Amino acid sequence: MTTSSQTYPAHRIHTPHREGRLIVAPSGVAGRFDSHAVDCPFVFTVDGRRGMTYVGWDGLGYQTALAWQQPDGSWRHEAIILTREPHHPHRRFNAALTSIMRDNDLWSSGELLRIDGWYYGTYHAYPAQGYEAGPGMIGIVRSRDLLSWEDVGATLHSEDGAPWERGGLYKSWLMMVDGVFHLFYNAKEGDDFGSMAVPPPWIEQTGLATSTDLTTWTRVAAQPVLPVGGAGAFDERFASDPCVLRDADHWVMFYFGLAADGHAREGYATSRDLVTWTKSADLLLDVGTPGEIDAQHAHKPAVVYWDGRLEHYYCAVSLPGAPHTLARPVRGISRATSA
């Protein structure tokens, strides 16, 4: 259930200072995992190092890379850490790692959590070659070194859920709360791969499943915990890609909305119990003006507290043309900060 009144002080999470450039950009090199686009940042700290996972798109499918922040603030690619595997039951064409369990506190450095020496993360994949071709699924993986990952627990499939998610599952956020695994994810009600309509013809909304063992998952409700908004809302078509962190006695869900105008923008909702969410009408990131890196979309949030400020990483998508020479939009990762 979602309500629309707002009591949370929005200024606490405002990040108005934009980088204005891509801090991780597609390579444009044929054959590289990131030749066409980079997407889905996830930022964290581990043993004093600041890291980021992100997804690359090469025209065939997704794969996931790891990068480390350098002393000058730039990001250095370390390795592709979740690859396509021809004989894997789900990752033959895609392997998009989107979250690793971390400290839940909004004002923390996002230190990754270990359980018996393991890091746990979630990925999504699609059953065919191409851009998000067919109904997506969500899998659980674990690693001891962030470089090599193995499957664990049970996968989540759209056919096991309610009608609103039957079209496929998308980006997920895994967290531990009071000894229980919580998995937030967005999903769509119908699969219409190949549609070029703007906005797409389907609806995406956000749900929640819980587990005590990563094997038995229970959807907490038959309806999405974060549904789309009404006519004219910034999230009229999509309410997607949750990033959920605790601020004192509130939980804050950073998410993006897709409006009827075909643009994606960042907003947020708050909750006391992780199930009933209060949306804010306050936008955290609007799209940029024509010619800017995020003129088409500013979406897919990842938030961390570094150097005494909130850093809001997001996927920026430009419009075709200037300042880029490519005929298609450029999709990469940028950042906005609170100071």
Side-chain angles (χ1 to χ4, degrees):
M1 186 176 96
T2 305
T3 58
S4 58
S5 61
Q6 183 57 235
T7 59
Y8 180 81
H11 69 274
R12 291 177 61 79
I13 55 172
H14 280 175
T15 52
H17 305 285
R18 300 197 194 205
E19 195 86 3
R21 63 184 181 90
L22 296 181
I23 59 175
V24 181
S27 67
V29 177
R32 275 184 53 108
F33 83 101
D34 59 353
S35 59
H36 288 50
V38 292
D39 210 340
C40 298
F42 173 80
V43 285
F44 59 88
T45 301
V46 60
D47 299 332
R49 299 181 73 188
R50 296 175 177 179
M52 178 196 301
T53 63
Y54 62 96
V55 173
W57 163 251
D58 61 1
L60 301 176
Y62 291 140
Q63 299 183 87
T64 308
L66 171 67
W68 298 106
Q69 191 175 55
Q70 303 303 293
D72 64 359
S74 64
W75 290 90
R76 180 179 60 81
H77 169 83
E78 172 77 9
I80 302 173
I81 59 172
L82 202 68
T83 65
R84 292 191 289 264
E85 298 183 22
H87 303 295
H88 193 280
H90 306 296
R91 298 205 306 268
R92 296 187 300 276
F93 304 107
N94 297 272
L97 182 73
T98 58
S99 74
I100 307 170
M101 282 203 313
R102 52 155 283 186
D103 185 327
N104 294 329
D105 194 275
L106 174 64
W107 307 104
S108 77
S109 63
E111 186 75 20
L112 294 186
L113 301 181
R114 294 179 177 92
I115 300 176
D116 297 328
W118 293 97
Y119 303 107
Y120 287 84
T122 56
Y123 71 91
H124 63 278
Y126 304 88
Q129 182 173 294
Y131 188 74
E132 299 180 354
M137 53 72 64
I138 293 172
I140 316 296
V141 287
R142 68 180 184 178
S143 174
R144 293 196 183 274
D145 60 5
L146 300 179
L147 296 173
S148 299
W149 294 83
E150 65 181 40
D151 290 271
V152 66
T155 56
L156 285 81
H157 297 273
S158 57
E159 59 265 30
D160 299 327
W164 70 268
E165 56 187 292
R166 293 288 168 78
L169 311 182
Y170 280 98
K171 188 169 177 285
S172 56
W173 180 268
L174 181 66
M175 56 196 300
M176 173 75 80
V177 182
D178 298 329
V180 177
F181 297 101
H182 287 62
L183 181 68
F184 288 90
Y185 62 95
N186 60 298
K188 61 183 179 180
E189 90 289 8
D191 180 43
D192 192 7
F193 171 69
S195 171
M196 300 301 292
V198 178
W202 60 82
I203 297 294
E204 286 184 28
Q205 303 177 95
T206 294
L208 170 63
T210 61
S211 176
T212 58
D213 59 5
L214 296 175
T215 298
T216 301
W217 289 95
T218 302
R219 266 80 164 178
V220 302
Q223 300 299 321
V225 295
L226 193 78
V228 292
F234 87 99
D235 59 356
E236 178 180 351
R237 303 293 302 178
F238 289 10
S240 299
D241 286 34
C243 166
V244 182
L245 298 169
R246 189 200 302 268
D247 183 9
D249 58 352
H250 283 86
W251 290 97
V252 182
M253 181 191 294
F254 301 86
Y255 74 99
F256 84 82
L258 184 71
D261 64 4
H263 292 289
R265 303 165 172 92
E266 302 273 62
Y268 75 96
T270 59
S271 176
R272 304 286 185 139
D273 62 4
L274 293 170
V275 176
T276 300
W277 290 89
T278 300
K279 286 185 180 180
S280 172
D282 201 30
L283 282 181
L284 293 179
L285 288 178
D286 202 346
V287 293
T289 59
E292 294 185 314
I293 60 166
D294 48 12
Q296 182 165 341
H297 301 313
H299 66 336
K300 305 188 178 181
V303 179
V304 71
Y305 186 70
W306 284 339
D307 296 327
R309 66 185 187 181
L310 282 181
E311 300 197 2
H312 183 151
Y313 292 77
Y314 67 100
C315 178
V317 183
S318 69
L319 294 168
H324 305 287
T325 57
L326 296 177
R328 55 182 168 80
V330 174
R331 179 179 292 259
I333 295 168
S334 192
R335 174 178 59 187
T337 63
S338 60

